[in-house]
Amino acid sequence: MKICRFDDNRLGAVAEDGIRDVSEVLSKLPRVTYPFPRHDALVAHLDQLRPEIDQAAESARPAPLEKVKLLSPLANPGKIIAAPVNYKKHLEEALADKGIHHGNLVSEIHKAGMFLKAPSSLVGPGEGVKLVHLDRRNDHEVELAVVIGRKARSVSAAEAPGCIAGYCIGLDMTIRGPEERSLRKSPDSYCVLGPWLTTPDEIPDPGQLALSIKVNGETRQDAHTSDLILKVPELIAWGSSFYTLHPGDVLLTGTPQGVGPVRPGDMMLASIERIGSMRVEVS
């Protein structure tokens, strides 16, 4: 199953003939009161709602994909966890290019650990990236994004696949500079998720996916998740040893070699095998 959010916070089921509006299913979510839960309610109840989503999709009229504005598939992630330098060739290019490391110490992921991006940085592909600090280099970083499906704390790598609600394409947009990663990677719109959430039954092995990004038609990054240093289950296990993971939390698994700058007016096309592609405008 592939599900998306589009236009005015509508819920859609992605079909071969377009986006089918299944927003009526949202009325089945439990009512909540303040203080609100620390998770995404739709993701937390997705397994229970799947039969009703399928039923609603059968009778819904499809809207052409090009006619809708795709939002982030997630409305309320509690946290966005990111894995730096998790591809060997990206570590090599970061060490070789001062424009990337800006004099910062660059360590492989076992030493660098993970970092957090602000949830306020989250947008969907239809909203685009709005660059700030244009006097600096702003780079694209395409990544496989993992969405957590259930509460998890100190899980093992063997248990980790059972914690996954699905996968998206992620863009970890980055301002280069001397500050800590979380600051330079958390401006508004610097985390793009899309084009939809693809459930694990469609991706039996997240370690066997081709991923790429083109900017204005030029291929910049073209790699494979089999080259990840820490694989998806290991990342979830490591993250859950520090944080309690909640439904809707996002784990960005790292970007491969080929990162490069973008400027206002550029168009990015990010793709991951079995998930799809998303076009993201830079302004």
Side-chain angles (χ1 to χ4, degrees):
M1 172 182 283
K2 294 181 173 71
I3 60 171
C4 67
R5 289 173 58 242
F6 67 99
D7 292 347
D8 186 21
N9 290 306
R10 309 297 295 175
L11 181 67
V14 182
E16 292 184 2
D17 54 0
I19 306 298
R20 294 175 175 258
D21 193 330
V22 294
S23 302
E24 63 191 70
V25 174
L26 296 175
S27 65
K28 305 293 184 180
L29 292 175
R31 291 186 176 274
V32 294
T33 58
Y34 184 83
F36 300 118
R38 297 181 179 181
H39 62 254
D40 187 291
L42 176 62
V43 174
H45 296 88
L46 186 58
D47 284 346
Q48 300 97 299
L49 293 176
R50 282 190 67 165
E52 296 189 51
I53 292 174
D54 288 335
Q55 184 176 1
E58 289 180 4
S59 58
R61 179 179 299 177
L65 179 58
E66 62 273 13
K67 297 293 186 181
V68 305
K69 177 181 179 181
L70 288 172
L71 309 177
S72 162
L74 304 176
N76 298 294
K79 52 189 168 292
I80 301 170
I81 308 167
V85 288
N86 199 23
Y87 287 81
K88 183 180 179 181
K89 289 184 179 179
H90 176 49
L91 173 60
E92 293 170 354
E93 76 174 348
L95 290 169
D97 185 350
K98 188 175 180 179
I100 294 176
H101 66 70
H102 206 82
N104 294 334
L105 175 66
V106 180
S107 302
E108 51 91 14
I109 187 169
H110 295 89
K111 295 179 181 178
M114 293 188 278
F115 64 94
L116 296 173
K117 286 174 72 86
S120 58
S121 68
L122 184 62
V123 293
E127 297 167 280
V129 171
K130 298 175 178 61
L131 299 181
V132 297
H133 295 290
L134 294 177
D135 57 319
R136 302 221 201 155
R137 175 172 160 177
N138 281 260
D139 282 12
H140 58 76
E141 298 186 4
V142 65
E143 312 195 9
L144 174 67
V146 181
V147 179
I148 299 301
R150 66 171 179 85
K151 188 175 180 179
R153 174 70 182 175
S154 298
V155 299
S156 67
E159 296 168 321
C163 302
I164 298 172
Y167 304 91
C168 309
I169 303 171
L171 290 184
D172 178 17
M173 303 301 298
T174 303
I175 302 170
R176 299 302 179 190
E179 302 90 356
E180 293 291 336
R181 284 184 175 94
S182 59
L183 179 69
R184 295 183 287 106
K185 291 170 171 279
S186 289
D188 296 351
S189 80
Y190 274 53
C191 182
V192 187
L193 284 186
W196 35 69
L197 176 72
T198 301
T199 53
D201 52 298
E202 297 201 19
I203 301 180
D205 187 353
Q208 294 296 326
L209 301 173
L211 73 165
S212 65
I213 190 170
K214 295 181 178 180
V215 179
N216 302 328
E218 174 195 1
T219 299
R220 295 278 190 86
Q221 295 179 271
D222 186 5
H224 202 274
T225 58
S226 60
D227 295 328
L228 283 166
I229 297 171
L230 289 180
K231 310 301 184 183
V232 169
E234 296 169 306
L235 288 171
I236 293 174
W238 196 19
S240 74
S241 73
F242 284 87
Y243 312 115
T244 297
L245 305 180
H246 296 278
D249 283 356
V250 179
L251 177 58
L252 298 172
T253 58
T255 198
Q257 70 281 3
V259 300
V262 292
R263 300 172 181 84
D266 286 346
M267 179 64 74
M268 301 180 288
L269 177 64
S271 303
I272 297 184
E273 183 181 3
R274 292 183 175 268
I275 296 177
S277 300
M278 63 181 188
R279 299 177 68 87
V280 182
E281 184 177 356
V282 182
S283 63

